[in-house]
Amino acid sequence: MTTVLYITEHNQKERKSISSWVGERFLREYKKSHPEDKIITINLSKENIPSIDNEFVDIFNKLKCGIQPSDLTTSEQNIISKFNKFADQFISADKYIFVNPMFNHFLPNKLKAYLDAISMIGKTIKFNSNGPIGLLKEKKALHIQSSGGVYKHNDIESSDFGHKYLKYIMNFLGTETIDGIFIDGLDVYKDKRDYLKKQASKKAIELAKTF
Ligand SMILES: Cc1cc2nc3c(=O)[nH]c(=O)nc-3n(C[C@H](O)[C@H](O)[C@H](O)COP(=O)(O)O)c2cc1C
């Protein structure tokens, strides 16, 4: 069975958030064309995502040097298990849908923390003498992102660091296919919000059939 992780951070009601609105439409259409798939929603605003601190860095370096997780102290293993909870769930899925508004040219904090949590040595990434090897092969991802400004096909496209980073980290972890639906210009063209929503929704409905 195909498992899909729908990862979002919105705690606003669906009607207030345009990225969630488009994400929900994608999901509704996706369910119609993939009725057998299991869909798991992760609302990051409700999750206790561990953050990378000094203790974690020490453990990370030990693992990177080849120390086995079973050789870590109990306290170190407890820290790792908080990260592994998210990494294991991520590995068990086949497709990922990330839904977020752009904040300060990047991803919301919790989404970045989530990506840190799933980037675990021995789980989603390993290192050999040639460097890193991403272990999330044969998966695919979709990034649905809204923004106040217009980024796509514009001279500020390169300052969309959020999508660039998400794409990079997923590639780094072994996932090569990253689709994108961008609802941009929501603040610049306030009077065209309905039109922009509808355009993105059309794209979402089309992509949902083949994703
Ligand atoms: C704190 C904050 C920072 C923002 N930073 C940016 C930004 O860097 N670029 C941009 O185009 N829009 C920015 N915005 C606007 C939001 O991206 C835009 O309002 C949002 O995409 C609306 O989407 P939503 O309805 O899905 O929440 C920012 C909004 C907030 C609240």
Side-chain angles (χ1 to χ4, degrees):
M1 193 200 345
T2 300
T3 301
V4 182
L5 282 191
Y6 182 86
I7 303 144
T8 183
E9 199 206 323
H10 267 295
N11 47 19
Q12 293 174 307
K13 292 271 180 282
E14 190 201 338
R15 72 190 138 77
K16 280 195 194 157
S17 157
I18 293 180
S19 49
S20 296
W21 190 88
V22 174
E24 292 295 324
R25 261 134 205 86
F26 178 89
L27 217 47
R28 200 180 298 167
E29 199 61 32
Y30 183 88
K31 284 178 188 166
K32 281 191 213 160
S33 44
H34 304 74
E36 307 294 324
D37 289 9
K38 181 178 170 192
I39 298 177
I40 300 172
T41 296
I42 305 180
N43 186 339
L44 298 174
S45 66
K46 295 189 178 148
E47 298 286 347
N48 195 5
I49 317 246
S51 44
I52 294 179
D53 55 13
N54 288 339
E55 243 177 330
F56 177 82
V57 173
D58 288 343
I59 302 168
F60 186 89
N61 286 332
K62 285 186 185 175
L63 294 173
K64 206 171 166 184
C65 292
I67 290 179
Q68 292 305 306
S70 55
D71 292 332
L72 296 172
T73 65
T74 310
S75 144
E76 288 172 334
Q77 286 186 20
N78 286 341
I79 291 169
I80 289 298
S81 68
K82 289 182 190 157
F83 285 81
N84 282 347
K85 178 187 134 186
F86 291 101
D88 287 337
Q89 184 186 43
F90 204 77
I91 294 162
S92 70
D94 306 285
K95 299 179 186 178
Y96 313 108
I97 304 166
F98 298 93
V99 181
N100 67 277
M102 178 190 287
F103 289 152
N104 298 323
H105 306 279
F106 198 59
L107 306 170
N109 285 350
K110 279 209 151 186
L111 181 51
K112 168 64 168 65
Y114 178 78
L115 294 171
D116 284 341
I118 58 139
S119 302
M120 286 297 290
I121 289 186
K123 292 275 179 188
T124 52
I125 186 92
K126 70 177 180 182
F127 290 85
N128 70 11
S129 51
N130 295 322
I133 302 170
L135 302 175
L136 295 176
K137 304 281 182 206
E138 289 162 32
K139 315 262 187 189
K140 58 183 184 172
L142 166 65
H143 187 201
I144 299 178
Q145 178 173 263
S146 59
S147 59
V150 179
Y151 287 76
K152 293 300 138 202
H153 314 298
N154 212 331
D155 54 4
I156 59 163
E157 179 156 8
S158 61
S159 59
D160 175 0
F161 298 101
H163 179 65
K164 214 189 277 181
Y165 176 75
L166 182 69
K167 203 165 175 238
Y168 182 86
I169 197 81
M170 290 305 296
N171 287 168
F172 183 69
L173 299 177
T175 300
E176 277 163 21
T177 311
I178 325 285
D179 284 314
I181 298 177
F182 304 99
I183 318 119
D184 56 359
L186 290 170
D187 292 338
V188 175
Y189 302 111
K190 278 200 169 75
D191 52 331
K192 288 192 179 151
R193 280 185 160 216
D194 277 349
Y195 169 78
L196 295 168
K197 259 168 81 171
K198 276 184 197 145
Q199 287 298 104
S201 174
K202 255 192 208 167
K203 189 168 179 197
I205 289 168
E206 271 316 298
L207 189 60
K209 293 173 188 155
T210 54
F211 180 71

